[in-house]
Amino acid sequence: MSSTGNGAKVTVIGGGHVGLPTAVVLAHFGHEVVLAESDPARFEMLQRGESPIVETGLEELLSDALRLGTLRIARTAAEAVGEAEFVFLCVPTPQGNDGAVDLSFVEAVTDEIKESLRSGTIVVNKSTVPVGTAALLERVTQRIGIRVVSNPEFLREGSAVADSLHPDRIVVGADDPADAQKVGQLFAATGAPVIATDTTTAEAIKYAANAYLATKLSFVNALADLCETVGADVDALMAGLGHDKRIGFEFLRPGPGWGGSCLPKDTSALLQRAEVVGHDFALLRGAIAQNEDHMERVVQKVARASGGHLEGAPIAVWGLTFKAGTDDRRSSPATEITRRLVRAGARVSAYDPTVPDNTGESDLAGITVVPTAYEACRGARVVALLTEWGEFASLNFTKVAALMETPAVVDARNLLDPTTLRSLGFSYEGIGRT
Ligand code: UDX
């Protein structure tokens, strides 16, 4: 594609959860990639071939690409874009105070690079942005011949490399179909279908996907609550649903509520946007409210298991990240539930394989973080399993019971086997399990 080699000249701005997997995978596909990372500590790590985030397979691809010279790390966006045919924007779009998206990083980086872009460069926005942002960015660049294309990202944390190598689809929104085709071509090696559309629709697809997934999970968690009330078993219920091909098994696992850096932020942004344009998206509002209530129900389960109150109660927590396979605690239901336990007066001892003990991080204020799952249980009245780390299923539960004040488990991920635990003298409560 480039005039000098087989691959295209691609710059990726932002070495975070989206930018870093995107950069290494594009390099793996044979493109000449420059990754711009402005954070000095992250820059140094990346230079050494170390990944600043926990992602299966990422470090291997990073080291390979650096060794082969298909990837170079740059300190600033401006110095990284000079030669680029394609510039991917992968910068954070956090939630603003009113629930709407804060576009300041996207705008700042666009402003920073606009003078350095060569004519004909296609700016590809991967950051999740409100409908209409591509058009806005084109106005910010104020340069004839620079086009902005939307290419929303659907990768999941923890499986970001696999998702990038084998995506279900590539969505490209562009004013000019030829630009959409060029961007789609960058991912030809994936063999995934390319959905070429206008920028507005591409931006809307990202929100629609995440809103759908969140709504599905709220539905599943609401069904699990109903199972508890009517005495049905959620595991069999989900098997009964999942085998229906129109429903499928994906996103059918009940849990402590959905979280992470995307689902909560994107559903709030879509709801806020709908309100602004006068659309009452009651279904989505209901899904968000159900999620809030669901986390509270888990807190109440722990309170019941601890004898009806949490004031002064010694509680063990297993898992703090928003799901297994990541070190991310942003909008983590596990962390939120743990904080609520602390606010209710519980003395919480928590363990998570990605969180060092005595971390002192502000989101964990009031929580004692310890180095092992066993250590967390010492003297505990209840253990609350909040993240589905596989290691929790293979613990020695005879030893766990011996360490605890009373052997009681609230398994908010339905990870453990109730029969085995009850046979060892545990009281067991899952989510929607009989
Ligand atoms: C999500 C989207 O899946 C991805 O396409 C998008 O690009 C970014 O947002 P991610 O944030 O990595 O990805 O998390 P995901 O794996 O989707 O899980 C979201 C939440 O739902 C987590 O809290 C997870 O524990 C929960 N979940 C997921 C369940 O409780 N049950 C399930 O069956 C699946």
Side-chain angles (χ1 to χ4, degrees):
M1 245 184 184
S2 81
S3 46
T4 51
N6 294 327
K9 292 184 188 305
V10 178
T11 290
V12 176
I13 300 177
H17 287 280
V18 171
L20 182 51
T22 300
V24 298
V25 165
L26 284 170
H28 179 75
F29 291 156
H31 302 299
E32 294 173 44
V33 181
V34 182
L35 171 64
E37 174 52 60
S38 57
D39 179 90
R42 280 178 166 244
F43 171 83
E44 296 296 337
M45 283 186 82
L46 290 169
Q47 285 274 59
R48 292 195 298 270
E50 292 168 19
S51 170
I53 53 173
V54 173
E55 277 298 344
T56 308
L58 187 58
E59 217 157 69
E60 290 83 340
L61 282 192
L62 174 65
S63 319
D64 285 354
L66 290 172
R67 188 170 37 79
L68 292 170
T70 46
L71 177 68
R72 178 169 75 78
I73 316 292
R75 274 180 209 276
T76 70
E79 74 176 270
V81 299
E83 296 296 310
E85 297 163 273
F86 301 89
V87 174
F88 281 77
L89 303 184
C90 302
V91 295
T93 47
Q95 189 168 333
N97 292 335
D98 56 355
V101 181
D102 173 359
L103 281 177
S104 54
F105 291 102
V106 176
E107 285 166 350
V109 90
T110 311
D111 208 44
E112 184 191 338
I113 61 173
K114 67 182 185 195
E115 301 300 334
S116 312
L117 293 170
R118 68 179 202 185
S119 183
T121 300
I122 297 179
V123 175
V124 187
N125 183 43
K126 261 199 184 299
S127 306
T128 301
V129 292
V131 171
T133 303
L136 176 108
L137 292 182
E138 239 168 43
R139 287 199 295 279
V140 174
T141 59
Q142 289 176 328
R143 290 263 312 271
I144 310 293
I146 304 293
R147 282 99 69 202
V148 179
V149 166
S150 169
N151 171 224
E153 185 48 65
F154 302 99
L155 61 79
R156 291 162 299 174
E157 287 184 26
S159 53
V161 171
D163 288 351
S164 303
L165 289 170
H166 312 287
D168 291 336
R169 77 298 209 188
I170 304 289
V171 173
V172 191
D175 294 336
D176 182 345
D179 289 342
Q181 210 230 339
K182 283 183 201 160
V183 173
Q185 201 53 34
L186 294 174
F187 301 95
T190 66
V194 176
I195 318 294
T197 179
D198 56 275
T199 54
T200 305
T201 307
E203 287 163 344
I205 287 171
K206 172 69 191 231
Y207 284 99
N210 278 351
Y212 177 80
L213 293 172
T215 306
K216 186 172 183 184
L217 287 176
S218 281
F219 177 79
V220 163
N221 286 333
L223 274 180
D225 292 338
L226 186 64
C227 282
E228 287 173 15
T229 315
V230 301
D233 177 56
V234 79
D235 298 335
L237 187 102
M238 293 309 159
L241 287 182
H243 279 287
D244 185 326
K245 291 190 186 64
R246 295 167 302 173
I247 299 174
F249 281 102
E250 296 286 334
F251 267 65
L252 273 199
R253 277 181 289 111
W258 41 268
S261 66
C262 291
L263 262 50
K265 168 174 83 79
D266 294 350
T267 47
S268 293
L270 183 58
L271 189 63
Q272 194 268 355
R273 188 81 190 119
E275 272 163 16
V276 167
V277 298
H279 178 84
D280 180 18
F281 205 156
L283 177 66
L284 187 57
R285 199 174 42 253
I288 295 170
Q290 194 286 334
N291 198 44
E292 280 297 310
D293 293 349
H294 190 71
M295 288 190 270
E296 192 52 36
R297 271 191 285 274
V298 176
V299 173
Q300 293 314 319
K301 261 181 210 262
V302 178
R304 277 197 304 280
S306 125
H309 64 92
L310 288 165
E311 186 61 49
I315 305 292
V317 162
W318 286 347
L320 291 164
T321 54
F322 80 96
K323 62 176 183 178
T326 175
D327 57 350
D328 200 340
R329 298 195 303 274
R330 285 177 292 174
S331 297
S332 165
T335 308
E336 174 59 23
I337 289 165
T338 308
R339 280 197 296 256
R340 290 187 195 187
L341 293 170
V342 170
R343 279 204 296 277
R347 291 186 287 114
V348 175
S349 211
Y351 164 72
D352 185 286
T354 67
V355 184
D357 50 326
N358 301 317
T359 159
E361 301 234 15
S362 59
D363 67 323
L364 303 176
I367 303 165
T368 306
V369 180
V370 296
T372 67
Y374 292 118
E375 190 61 34
C377 296
R378 199 177 291 281
R381 200 168 292 162
V382 182
V383 55
L385 190 164
L386 302 178
T387 309
E388 72 280 26
W389 291 108
E391 66 177 85
F392 299 146
S394 51
L395 291 169
N396 176 341
F397 279 90
T398 308
K399 180 172 170 184
V400 171
L403 285 167
M404 294 181 73
E405 181 189 293
T406 45
V409 173
V410 171
D411 176 8
R413 294 285 183 171
N414 290 354
L415 183 76
L416 308 174
D417 177 27
T419 313
T420 309
L421 285 179
R422 286 178 185 136
S423 73
L424 292 172
F426 279 86
S427 82
Y428 175 92
E429 265 221 72
I431 303 287
R433 280 177 153 182
T434 43

